[in-house]
Amino acid sequence: MTDLKSSGTDAISSTEQSEVTVLAKKVAMADDTKPEIDEKDIGRPADPERRQSQKSVYSSSGRKVSEWEALQMVAAGDLETINREMDDIEADLQTMNIKSTWYKPQLRLNDPRYFTWLLRGGANEAKGFASMGGLLSGVDQSLISGANLFMPSSLNLNTKQVSLVSSGVPLGAVGGALILGPLNEAVGRRMAIIISLVLYTVGAALEAGAIDFGMMVAGRIILGMGVGLEGGTVPVYVAESVSRKYRGNLVSLYQFMIALGEVFGYVIAAIFVNVKSGSWRYMLGSSLVFSTVMFAGILFMPESPRFLMHKGRTTEAWHVWKQIRGEDAEARTEFFVMKYSVAEEFTNQEKSVNKRFPWMDFFTVPRARRAIIYANIMVFLGQFTGINAIQYYMATLMQQVGFDDKNSVFMSLVGGGALLLGTIPAIFYMEKFGRRFWANAMLPGFFIGLIIIGCSYLIPLTNKAGSQGTYIAGLIIYEGFFGCYSCLTWVIPSEVYPTYLRSYGMETSDVTLFLCSFLVTYFFAQMQEAMSQIGLTLGFYGGIAVVGWIYQVLFMPETKNKTLEEIDIIFSQPTSQLVAENFRSSMVTATDFVCFRWGKVFSPVSESDIFRKENGHKSEMEPESKHEELLH
């Protein structure tokens, strides 16, 4: 947050200072005439007419204050106006009777930093609450690998039934992703997470106690719905609650914890592999421990303050904000800006051409259409290069190269560990290297891994050391490079959609992710039988990797060190302009890399920026204008 007493005051001119003063007077006049807002019935959603009247109070037309103007007031150090408005909200809060109930307990902390500790797990680099969500998701997705060695014979399942059981989680996750948007809008982040944990618990219990194929599939699909719902809600909840200095690496860390959860799943399978009777039941039922712990924790967590603000419950949002962020000058000014930011988003939605069905802009607005195509192709590439099929069938694939049942479970830890370690560089270096460089460097890496895996199938099983060693080497390379690449499938969708379409865009990306995961998992056994092991690995997965790399070189724009508004400008360009920029960027970057001019390769200023400065920026709305005029 800007220092209000020093650098912030010097940041604006005297003319701007006078404009801010006039603006502050307008806000003060608006404060005197604002209608009363009754927020005593906190647990009861407001009716649409009442909610609309509340939102109009916070809109730029009602207050004459936009998000940018609020930021300028903060930069000018206009604490008098900010404190006056925050004091009014505090006065409203004092008249409310907020009680702690079993359904809605109130978090009482002596120090707001304790809440951040709960989310961060006590360390600056780890988000504890998000980590628990990622761990739970990863564990439930990898446990099936070990269970598949014993469960089919116990339940008398054929090949197609095993495929459906294995793919039940991603299939259910599609359903969870489809209800993610409406459920979050209807009941909020906290309750959506609680519902997802109930689904986790019910699904895991059905799996562990399954007596036939139908019961097992039902448990897997219900569990998958929890995965889809939780996976899209937990990161949003944490990002809306913590300070902005902790948000930058959140998405990559969430992927890291999913990978760690998958390793835990393989460890759990190894622990129970020697149980003589019903070992697979203990494997699948163990996730009940994780879901129970997280369920107990979320009951004591508050609702996201930004969601409460979005619903027009400003006073309750301030009540939560004080608990989790404190009441110092930084917290008050950030809440002040957030208030007008949410109001401006609502105003923009009202001005939309497709106001009733804003998602139609994905078909009618070129900028939005480019974003949804680009984001979902990246998600497609992340799944159709085979990662989830390999993760779900890891132990079975180990058997195919000569490992026995017990060692197949143990060796699955090698692949899971390589995936986990591969995510670490992305956490620290993706922002420095850039999205384009990261994607175009990682994709050839796991293509090489697929080549080595395919070659391992050519070595006869009589030479176990050769076939197993080659397979493990290829698997480590593939999983390691994919771990780096996989973070992009979470980062890119979260930043390329327009603000007013972000919830709809993220929902489509989640559906695409889990639908692709279902398809590659369900048809894995049939495709391996039809194409042969080397044909599926090298021909299909490897072929998609090659085509995807060409797509990335030509169509993937660089978005590192860009605000969301600057990304909006990039995607407003015609596709031909993007391709021209990307082709030139690829040639220049490759030349610099080969010539060891790495300072240019990793420069904060991308080659696309230089291209736009030299050639001007083109968009559908403005034929041509200089890059500086649009980004600064």
PDB file of all heavy atoms in Angstrom, residues 125-154:
ATOM      1  N   GLU A 125       5.833 -18.552   2.476  1.00  0.00           N
ATOM      2  CA  GLU A 125       5.755 -19.161   1.151  1.00  0.00           C
ATOM      3  C   GLU A 125       4.609 -20.157   1.027  1.00  0.00           C
ATOM      4  O   GLU A 125       4.395 -20.718  -0.037  1.00  0.00           O
ATOM      5  CB  GLU A 125       7.071 -19.887   0.813  1.00  0.00           C
ATOM      6  CG  GLU A 125       8.261 -18.966   0.662  1.00  0.00           C
ATOM      7  CD  GLU A 125       8.863 -18.576   1.995  1.00  0.00           C
ATOM      8  OE1 GLU A 125       8.554 -19.250   2.994  1.00  0.00           O
ATOM      9  OE2 GLU A 125       9.621 -17.598   2.046  1.00  0.00           O
ATOM     10  N   ALA A 126       3.867 -20.450   2.068  1.00  0.00           N
ATOM     11  CA  ALA A 126       2.850 -21.484   2.008  1.00  0.00           C
ATOM     12  C   ALA A 126       1.517 -20.955   2.481  1.00  0.00           C
ATOM     13  O   ALA A 126       1.432 -20.246   3.455  1.00  0.00           O
ATOM     14  CB  ALA A 126       3.256 -22.682   2.868  1.00  0.00           C
ATOM     15  N   LYS A 127       0.495 -21.313   1.810  1.00  0.00           N
ATOM     16  CA  LYS A 127      -0.844 -20.896   2.190  1.00  0.00           C
ATOM     17  C   LYS A 127      -1.522 -22.095   2.836  1.00  0.00           C
ATOM     18  O   LYS A 127      -1.932 -23.029   2.153  1.00  0.00           O
ATOM     19  CB  LYS A 127      -1.644 -20.455   0.960  1.00  0.00           C
ATOM     20  CG  LYS A 127      -0.973 -19.349   0.159  1.00  0.00           C
ATOM     21  CD  LYS A 127      -0.951 -18.058   0.934  1.00  0.00           C
ATOM     22  CE  LYS A 127      -0.418 -16.935   0.069  1.00  0.00           C
ATOM     23  NZ  LYS A 127       0.981 -17.017  -0.236  1.00  0.00           N
ATOM     24  N   GLY A 128      -1.632 -22.103   4.170  1.00  0.00           N
ATOM     25  CA  GLY A 128      -2.096 -23.270   4.889  1.00  0.00           C
ATOM     26  C   GLY A 128      -3.465 -23.740   4.470  1.00  0.00           C
ATOM     27  O   GLY A 128      -3.678 -24.913   4.192  1.00  0.00           O
ATOM     28  N   PHE A 129      -4.437 -22.810   4.410  1.00  0.00           N
ATOM     29  CA  PHE A 129      -5.784 -23.230   4.071  1.00  0.00           C
ATOM     30  C   PHE A 129      -5.852 -23.695   2.619  1.00  0.00           C
ATOM     31  O   PHE A 129      -6.432 -24.737   2.314  1.00  0.00           O
ATOM     32  CB  PHE A 129      -6.759 -22.071   4.304  1.00  0.00           C
ATOM     33  CG  PHE A 129      -8.195 -22.459   4.098  1.00  0.00           C
ATOM     34  CD1 PHE A 129      -8.881 -23.134   5.077  1.00  0.00           C
ATOM     35  CD2 PHE A 129      -8.847 -22.158   2.920  1.00  0.00           C
ATOM     36  CE1 PHE A 129     -10.200 -23.510   4.896  1.00  0.00           C
ATOM     37  CE2 PHE A 129     -10.165 -22.520   2.729  1.00  0.00           C
ATOM     38  CZ  PHE A 129     -10.842 -23.195   3.719  1.00  0.00           C
ATOM     39  N   ALA A 130      -5.251 -22.915   1.715  1.00  0.00           N
ATOM     40  CA  ALA A 130      -5.212 -23.325   0.312  1.00  0.00           C
ATOM     41  C   ALA A 130      -4.462 -24.639   0.168  1.00  0.00           C
ATOM     42  O   ALA A 130      -4.816 -25.488  -0.654  1.00  0.00           O
ATOM     43  CB  ALA A 130      -4.550 -22.244  -0.539  1.00  0.00           C
ATOM     44  N   SER A 131      -3.412 -24.818   0.978  1.00  0.00           N
ATOM     45  CA  SER A 131      -2.632 -26.044   0.909  1.00  0.00           C
ATOM     46  C   SER A 131      -3.495 -27.242   1.276  1.00  0.00           C
ATOM     47  O   SER A 131      -3.404 -28.301   0.641  1.00  0.00           O
ATOM     48  CB  SER A 131      -1.437 -25.960   1.859  1.00  0.00           C
ATOM     49  OG  SER A 131      -0.596 -24.897   1.517  1.00  0.00           O
ATOM     50  N   MET A 132      -4.341 -27.105   2.288  1.00  0.00           N
ATOM     51  CA  MET A 132      -5.200 -28.205   2.695  1.00  0.00           C
ATOM     52  C   MET A 132      -6.162 -28.566   1.571  1.00  0.00           C
ATOM     53  O   MET A 132      -6.413 -29.751   1.305  1.00  0.00           O
ATOM     54  CB  MET A 132      -5.985 -27.817   3.947  1.00  0.00           C
ATOM     55  CG  MET A 132      -6.624 -28.993   4.662  1.00  0.00           C
ATOM     56  SD  MET A 132      -5.376 -30.104   5.335  1.00  0.00           S
ATOM     57  CE  MET A 132      -6.402 -31.505   5.775  1.00  0.00           C
ATOM     58  N   GLY A 133      -6.698 -27.540   0.884  1.00  0.00           N
ATOM     59  CA  GLY A 133      -7.585 -27.808  -0.243  1.00  0.00           C
ATOM     60  C   GLY A 133      -6.858 -28.508  -1.375  1.00  0.00           C
ATOM     61  O   GLY A 133      -7.370 -29.452  -1.986  1.00  0.00           O
ATOM     62  N   GLY A 134      -5.627 -28.044  -1.690  1.00  0.00           N
ATOM     63  CA  GLY A 134      -4.848 -28.690  -2.740  1.00  0.00           C
ATOM     64  C   GLY A 134      -4.452 -30.108  -2.374  1.00  0.00           C
ATOM     65  O   GLY A 134      -4.503 -31.015  -3.209  1.00  0.00           O
ATOM     66  N   LEU A 135      -4.052 -30.310  -1.121  1.00  0.00           N
ATOM     67  CA  LEU A 135      -3.701 -31.652  -0.665  1.00  0.00           C
ATOM     68  C   LEU A 135      -4.875 -32.612  -0.800  1.00  0.00           C
ATOM     69  O   LEU A 135      -4.732 -33.738  -1.284  1.00  0.00           O
ATOM     70  CB  LEU A 135      -3.243 -31.612   0.796  1.00  0.00           C
ATOM     71  CG  LEU A 135      -1.815 -31.162   1.081  1.00  0.00           C
ATOM     72  CD1 LEU A 135      -1.622 -30.990   2.582  1.00  0.00           C
ATOM     73  CD2 LEU A 135      -0.819 -32.164   0.528  1.00  0.00           C
ATOM     74  N   LEU A 136      -6.038 -32.163  -0.371  1.00  0.00           N
ATOM     75  CA  LEU A 136      -7.227 -33.007  -0.437  1.00  0.00           C
ATOM     76  C   LEU A 136      -7.543 -33.399  -1.871  1.00  0.00           C
ATOM     77  O   LEU A 136      -7.845 -34.558  -2.169  1.00  0.00           O
ATOM     78  CB  LEU A 136      -8.408 -32.259   0.194  1.00  0.00           C
ATOM     79  CG  LEU A 136      -9.752 -32.992   0.245  1.00  0.00           C
ATOM     80  CD1 LEU A 136      -9.616 -34.305   0.988  1.00  0.00           C
ATOM     81  CD2 LEU A 136     -10.798 -32.112   0.915  1.00  0.00           C
ATOM     82  N   SER A 137      -7.466 -32.422  -2.782  1.00  0.00           N
ATOM     83  CA  SER A 137      -7.729 -32.697  -4.192  1.00  0.00           C
ATOM     84  C   SER A 137      -6.723 -33.689  -4.751  1.00  0.00           C
ATOM     85  O   SER A 137      -7.084 -34.647  -5.453  1.00  0.00           O
ATOM     86  CB  SER A 137      -7.698 -31.390  -4.987  1.00  0.00           C
ATOM     87  OG  SER A 137      -7.903 -31.632  -6.361  1.00  0.00           O
ATOM     88  N   GLY A 138      -5.427 -33.480  -4.445  1.00  0.00           N
ATOM     89  CA  GLY A 138      -4.391 -34.363  -4.969  1.00  0.00           C
ATOM     90  C   GLY A 138      -4.475 -35.774  -4.426  1.00  0.00           C
ATOM     91  O   GLY A 138      -4.319 -36.757  -5.176  1.00  0.00           O
ATOM     92  N   VAL A 139      -4.740 -35.897  -3.130  1.00  0.00           N
ATOM     93  CA  VAL A 139      -4.854 -37.220  -2.513  1.00  0.00           C
ATOM     94  C   VAL A 139      -5.963 -38.029  -3.161  1.00  0.00           C
ATOM     95  O   VAL A 139      -5.778 -39.201  -3.530  1.00  0.00           O
ATOM     96  CB  VAL A 139      -5.093 -37.084  -0.990  1.00  0.00           C
ATOM     97  CG1 VAL A 139      -5.573 -38.404  -0.400  1.00  0.00           C
ATOM     98  CG2 VAL A 139      -3.814 -36.644  -0.291  1.00  0.00           C
ATOM     99  N   ASP A 140      -7.128 -37.412  -3.317  1.00  0.00           N
ATOM    100  CA  ASP A 140      -8.277 -38.145  -3.856  1.00  0.00           C
ATOM    101  C   ASP A 140      -8.091 -38.519  -5.326  1.00  0.00           C
ATOM    102  O   ASP A 140      -8.735 -39.457  -5.811  1.00  0.00           O
ATOM    103  CB  ASP A 140      -9.551 -37.320  -3.680  1.00  0.00           C
ATOM    104  CG  ASP A 140     -10.100 -37.394  -2.267  1.00  0.00           C
ATOM    105  OD1 ASP A 140     -10.173 -38.504  -1.723  1.00  0.00           O
ATOM    106  OD2 ASP A 140     -10.434 -36.351  -1.693  1.00  0.00           O
ATOM    107  N   GLN A 141      -7.240 -37.778  -6.039  1.00  0.00           N
ATOM    108  CA  GLN A 141      -7.031 -38.107  -7.451  1.00  0.00           C
ATOM    109  C   GLN A 141      -5.992 -39.202  -7.652  1.00  0.00           C
ATOM    110  O   GLN A 141      -5.997 -39.869  -8.694  1.00  0.00           O
ATOM    111  CB  GLN A 141      -6.605 -36.848  -8.216  1.00  0.00           C
ATOM    112  CG  GLN A 141      -7.710 -35.810  -8.320  1.00  0.00           C
ATOM    113  CD  GLN A 141      -7.307 -34.618  -9.159  1.00  0.00           C
ATOM    114  OE1 GLN A 141      -7.127 -34.718 -10.372  1.00  0.00           O
ATOM    115  NE2 GLN A 141      -7.167 -33.467  -8.534  1.00  0.00           N
ATOM    116  N   SER A 142      -5.096 -39.416  -6.687  1.00  0.00           N
ATOM    117  CA  SER A 142      -4.024 -40.399  -6.888  1.00  0.00           C
ATOM    118  C   SER A 142      -4.244 -41.718  -6.161  1.00  0.00           C
ATOM    119  O   SER A 142      -3.611 -42.718  -6.501  1.00  0.00           O
ATOM    120  CB  SER A 142      -2.683 -39.794  -6.442  1.00  0.00           C
ATOM    121  OG  SER A 142      -2.693 -39.513  -5.053  1.00  0.00           O
ATOM    122  N   LEU A 143      -5.128 -41.752  -5.171  1.00  0.00           N
ATOM    123  CA  LEU A 143      -5.347 -42.991  -4.418  1.00  0.00           C
ATOM    124  C   LEU A 143      -5.826 -44.130  -5.309  1.00  0.00           C
ATOM    125  O   LEU A 143      -5.552 -45.303  -5.039  1.00  0.00           O
ATOM    126  CB  LEU A 143      -6.374 -42.749  -3.300  1.00  0.00           C
ATOM    127  CG  LEU A 143      -5.879 -41.982  -2.069  1.00  0.00           C
ATOM    128  CD1 LEU A 143      -7.050 -41.675  -1.142  1.00  0.00           C
ATOM    129  CD2 LEU A 143      -4.815 -42.787  -1.323  1.00  0.00           C
ATOM    130  N   ILE A 144      -6.546 -43.792  -6.383  1.00  0.00           N
ATOM    131  CA  ILE A 144      -7.112 -44.830  -7.247  1.00  0.00           C
ATOM    132  C   ILE A 144      -6.018 -45.639  -7.934  1.00  0.00           C
ATOM    133  O   ILE A 144      -6.231 -46.796  -8.315  1.00  0.00           O
ATOM    134  CB  ILE A 144      -8.054 -44.203  -8.300  1.00  0.00           C
ATOM    135  CG1 ILE A 144      -8.886 -45.268  -9.010  1.00  0.00           C
ATOM    136  CG2 ILE A 144      -7.275 -43.355  -9.291  1.00  0.00           C
ATOM    137  CD1 ILE A 144      -9.830 -46.007  -8.098  1.00  0.00           C
ATOM    138  N   SER A 145      -4.817 -45.050  -8.094  1.00  0.00           N
ATOM    139  CA  SER A 145      -3.723 -45.768  -8.763  1.00  0.00           C
ATOM    140  C   SER A 145      -3.376 -47.052  -8.017  1.00  0.00           C
ATOM    141  O   SER A 145      -3.297 -48.127  -8.617  1.00  0.00           O
ATOM    142  CB  SER A 145      -2.489 -44.850  -8.862  1.00  0.00           C
ATOM    143  OG  SER A 145      -1.388 -45.560  -9.363  1.00  0.00           O
ATOM    144  N   GLY A 146      -3.177 -46.968  -6.702  1.00  0.00           N
ATOM    145  CA  GLY A 146      -2.874 -48.166  -5.929  1.00  0.00           C
ATOM    146  C   GLY A 146      -4.078 -49.077  -5.774  1.00  0.00           C
ATOM    147  O   GLY A 146      -3.952 -50.311  -5.814  1.00  0.00           O
ATOM    148  N   ALA A 147      -5.266 -48.474  -5.615  1.00  0.00           N
ATOM    149  CA  ALA A 147      -6.467 -49.287  -5.434  1.00  0.00           C
ATOM    150  C   ALA A 147      -6.784 -50.117  -6.671  1.00  0.00           C
ATOM    151  O   ALA A 147      -7.358 -51.215  -6.554  1.00  0.00           O
ATOM    152  CB  ALA A 147      -7.652 -48.376  -5.096  1.00  0.00           C
ATOM    153  N   ASN A 148      -6.406 -49.637  -7.856  1.00  0.00           N
ATOM    154  CA  ASN A 148      -6.708 -50.364  -9.096  1.00  0.00           C
ATOM    155  C   ASN A 148      -5.991 -51.698  -9.195  1.00  0.00           C
ATOM    156  O   ASN A 148      -6.365 -52.549 -10.014  1.00  0.00           O
ATOM    157  CB  ASN A 148      -6.329 -49.507 -10.309  1.00  0.00           C
ATOM    158  CG  ASN A 148      -7.475 -48.617 -10.753  1.00  0.00           C
ATOM    159  OD1 ASN A 148      -8.633 -48.893 -10.448  1.00  0.00           O
ATOM    160  ND2 ASN A 148      -7.157 -47.554 -11.475  1.00  0.00           N
ATOM    161  N   LEU A 149      -4.987 -51.931  -8.376  1.00  0.00           N
ATOM    162  CA  LEU A 149      -4.287 -53.208  -8.402  1.00  0.00           C
ATOM    163  C   LEU A 149      -5.092 -54.322  -7.737  1.00  0.00           C
ATOM    164  O   LEU A 149      -4.920 -55.501  -8.061  1.00  0.00           O
ATOM    165  CB  LEU A 149      -2.923 -53.075  -7.707  1.00  0.00           C
ATOM    166  CG  LEU A 149      -1.908 -52.132  -8.368  1.00  0.00           C
ATOM    167  CD1 LEU A 149      -0.660 -52.038  -7.505  1.00  0.00           C
ATOM    168  CD2 LEU A 149      -1.564 -52.622  -9.765  1.00  0.00           C
ATOM    169  N   PHE A 150      -5.971 -53.970  -6.814  1.00  0.00           N
ATOM    170  CA  PHE A 150      -6.690 -54.977  -6.018  1.00  0.00           C
ATOM    171  C   PHE A 150      -8.209 -54.870  -6.134  1.00  0.00           C
ATOM    172  O   PHE A 150      -8.905 -55.876  -6.001  1.00  0.00           O
ATOM    173  CB  PHE A 150      -6.285 -54.842  -4.543  1.00  0.00           C
ATOM    174  CG  PHE A 150      -4.812 -54.750  -4.323  1.00  0.00           C
ATOM    175  CD1 PHE A 150      -4.196 -53.531  -4.070  1.00  0.00           C
ATOM    176  CD2 PHE A 150      -4.022 -55.891  -4.377  1.00  0.00           C
ATOM    177  CE1 PHE A 150      -2.824 -53.450  -3.869  1.00  0.00           C
ATOM    178  CE2 PHE A 150      -2.643 -55.814  -4.172  1.00  0.00           C
ATOM    179  CZ  PHE A 150      -2.037 -54.595  -3.924  1.00  0.00           C
ATOM    180  N   MET A 151      -8.730 -53.686  -6.355  1.00  0.00           N
ATOM    181  CA  MET A 151     -10.178 -53.480  -6.374  1.00  0.00           C
ATOM    182  C   MET A 151     -10.894 -54.230  -7.507  1.00  0.00           C
ATOM    183  O   MET A 151     -11.959 -54.831  -7.275  1.00  0.00           O
ATOM    184  CB  MET A 151     -10.494 -51.984  -6.462  1.00  0.00           C
ATOM    185  CG  MET A 151     -11.974 -51.657  -6.560  1.00  0.00           C
ATOM    186  SD  MET A 151     -12.223 -49.933  -7.012  1.00  0.00           S
ATOM    187  CE  MET A 151     -11.396 -49.828  -8.583  1.00  0.00           C
ATOM    188  N   PRO A 152     -10.380 -54.216  -8.756  1.00  0.00           N
ATOM    189  CA  PRO A 152     -11.116 -54.898  -9.836  1.00  0.00           C
ATOM    190  C   PRO A 152     -11.405 -56.358  -9.551  1.00  0.00           C
ATOM    191  O   PRO A 152     -12.521 -56.842  -9.804  1.00  0.00           O
ATOM    192  CB  PRO A 152     -10.178 -54.728 -11.042  1.00  0.00           C
ATOM    193  CG  PRO A 152      -9.402 -53.485 -10.747  1.00  0.00           C
ATOM    194  CD  PRO A 152      -9.193 -53.508  -9.269  1.00  0.00           C
ATOM    195  N   SER A 153     -10.442 -57.094  -9.021  1.00  0.00           N
ATOM    196  CA  SER A 153     -10.676 -58.508  -8.730  1.00  0.00           C
ATOM    197  C   SER A 153     -11.632 -58.675  -7.556  1.00  0.00           C
ATOM    198  O   SER A 153     -12.439 -59.614  -7.523  1.00  0.00           O
ATOM    199  CB  SER A 153      -9.348 -59.212  -8.419  1.00  0.00           C
ATOM    200  OG  SER A 153      -8.700 -58.598  -7.314  1.00  0.00           O
ATOM    201  N   SER A 154     -11.581 -57.763  -6.596  1.00  0.00           N
ATOM    202  CA  SER A 154     -12.462 -57.855  -5.430  1.00  0.00           C
ATOM    203  C   SER A 154     -13.918 -57.617  -5.805  1.00  0.00           C
ATOM    204  O   SER A 154     -14.820 -58.278  -5.272  1.00  0.00           O
ATOM    205  CB  SER A 154     -12.019 -56.840  -4.371  1.00  0.00           C
ATOM    206  OG  SER A 154     -12.888 -56.860  -3.256  1.00  0.00           O
TER     207      SER A 154
END
